[in-house]
Amino acid sequence: MKELVRYIAQALVDSPDAVVVSEVEGEQTSVIELRVAKEDLGKIIGKHGRTAQSIRTILSAASAKHKKRAVLEIVE
Amino acid sequence: MQSVVIEAKTTEEAITLACRQLDATPEQLAVEILEQAPGMLMSFFSGKKARIRATRMQPPPNTETAEAAQRLQDILASIADRIQPGATVQMETRDGEIFYTISSDGSGIFIGKHGQTLEAIQYLLNKIRLSKFRELPHIQVDCEAYRARHFESMVELANRMCEKAKKRGAPVATNPLSPGDRRIIHMTLKKDTELTTWSKGSGALKKVIIAPRQSVQA
């Protein structure tokens, strides 16, 4: 899951080296925290949060297979 | 930019010939009529012909864009593989447009409810295209022929709503639909002169209202 988010985030931003992804695992849900360079925050969120929404949609599709929910948090 | 001047009996014929010479579809050509074809009878007597200049608007795919398309395909393949290991991606170019097809085990994991996962993947990939491969045109992502099936079901919906509106003699509304879906409804019912259609609402999702013409005028 972490790898998926990292890959998508790095493809979208201008400074891929600044992308940091960490996972906090819970019993049923794991929270994936995404940090990007300040200038790239807008690219990850998108107009009306559409890009963030798309990443979350893909994440929930991917996590459905693992019978475990994954939640994406974009950390400033 | 490629350009040719063609002479033929009719303008239509000249355009067809131009397409063949430039290896393009009629939509890709900018046509300028240099000399109008006279009427059928006149041309028979005068021997005058139609003359057009056709210019190819989109350059034929070159190696640079082909390479970019290939790299974008690799990115999509990497994403697909991370969603479901073993999934692969094929690329196809039709009329200068790029189509990617994801192949998986057929579980519909890439499609999602109402195609929302497929929409999300396509949206993100176009975002990546705009940031890294600006030279590429808009791309479409498909999986298990979902797009074709969805198109059929939207046409079916349009026809069903059309029947309903005529039977009732009053306007009917669809569920809120995406811009692309609304377009299919409008285009399907455009040729029906008894009906008129328009969109209602705000934001990305709007309803389509299908109404018999009399009910609107009254």
Side-chain angles (χ1 to χ4, degrees), chain B residues 152 174 179:
Chain B
E152 288 300 315
T174 64

Side-chain angles (χ1 to χ4, degrees), chain B residues 8-157:
Chain B
K9 255 184 238 132
T10 62
T11 38
E12 288 78 21
E13 211 180 301
I15 292 170
T16 318
L17 282 170
C19 285
R20 211 170 301 157
Q21 275 201 20
L22 294 172
D23 190 24
T25 60
E27 294 81 51
Q28 289 172 325
L29 295 182
V31 177
E32 187 188 340
I33 295 171
L34 301 174
E35 207 156 323
Q36 196 77 31
M40 265 303 229
L41 265 176
M42 287 296 286
S43 75
F44 188 77
F45 290 117
S46 67
K48 251 191 168 178
K49 285 181 171 178
R51 208 148 61 92
I52 61 157
R53 178 184 291 134
T55 311
R56 203 180 206 288
M57 288 185 294
Q58 289 160 319
N62 57 33
T63 48
E64 206 174 290
T65 59
E67 199 180 296
Q70 179 63 48
R71 278 172 60 200
L72 199 55
Q73 182 184 356
D74 293 343
I75 290 173
L76 178 58
S78 302
I79 293 174
D81 189 62
R82 279 167 175 79
I83 296 171
Q84 187 184 56
T88 56
V89 176
Q90 282 83 42
M91 177 172 54
E92 204 185 323
T93 13
R94 242 181 289 141
D95 302 335
E97 280 183 80
I98 302 170
F99 297 83
Y100 295 110
T101 309
I102 305 173
S103 304
S104 73
D105 61 355
S107 61
I109 184 173
F110 290 105
I111 298 173
K113 207 197 220 164
H114 300 301
Q116 63 174 6
T117 308
L118 201 59
E119 263 335 299
I121 294 172
Q122 178 173 313
Y123 176 79
L124 280 181
L125 207 63
N126 272 305
K127 277 266 160 191
I128 296 168
R129 170 184 67 89
L130 286 172
S131 72
K132 310 253 152 76
F133 312 105
R134 287 213 88 107
E135 67 273 30
L136 289 179
H138 184 266
I139 50 150
Q140 246 195 37
V141 180
D142 198 3
C143 179
E144 293 156 27
Y146 174 78
R147 302 247 174 234
R149 274 189 287 140
H150 183 65
F151 179 81
E152 288 300 315
S153 77
M154 288 325 282
V155 171
E156 223 168 84
L157 173 73

Side-chain angles (χ1 to χ4, degrees), chain A residues 1-74:
Chain A
M1 285 311 100
K2 231 169 92 176
E3 281 312 303
L4 175 67
V5 173
R6 191 202 311 279
Y7 190 85
I8 294 173
Q10 286 185 334
L12 285 169
V13 298
D14 286 333
S15 11
D17 296 337
V19 172
V20 179
V21 183
S22 55
E23 193 168 5
V24 183
E25 284 202 51
E27 210 163 290
Q28 261 163 35
T29 38
S30 55
V31 178
I32 294 171
E33 292 184 331
L34 171 64
R35 284 182 182 79
V36 296
K38 209 163 168 248
E39 301 77 43
D40 284 330
L41 206 58
K43 288 210 179 65
I44 288 294
I45 296 170
K47 214 185 258 172
H48 297 292
R50 201 170 157 193
T51 310
Q53 189 55 51
S54 294
I55 301 175
R56 291 197 172 109
T57 304
I58 293 175
L59 190 60
S60 55
S63 62
K65 272 180 70 91
H66 299 263
K67 298 201 171 117
K68 195 175 179 187
R69 265 161 45 82
V71 183
L72 176 69
E73 289 271 3
I74 298 166

Side-chain angles (χ1 to χ4, degrees), chain B residues 153-172:
Chain B
S153 77
M154 288 325 282
V155 171
E156 223 168 84
L157 173 73
N159 289 329
R160 223 169 38 235
M161 296 307 263
C162 150
E163 297 280 307
K164 209 165 152 187
K166 281 181 184 165
K167 216 165 94 189
R168 280 197 195 167
V172 290

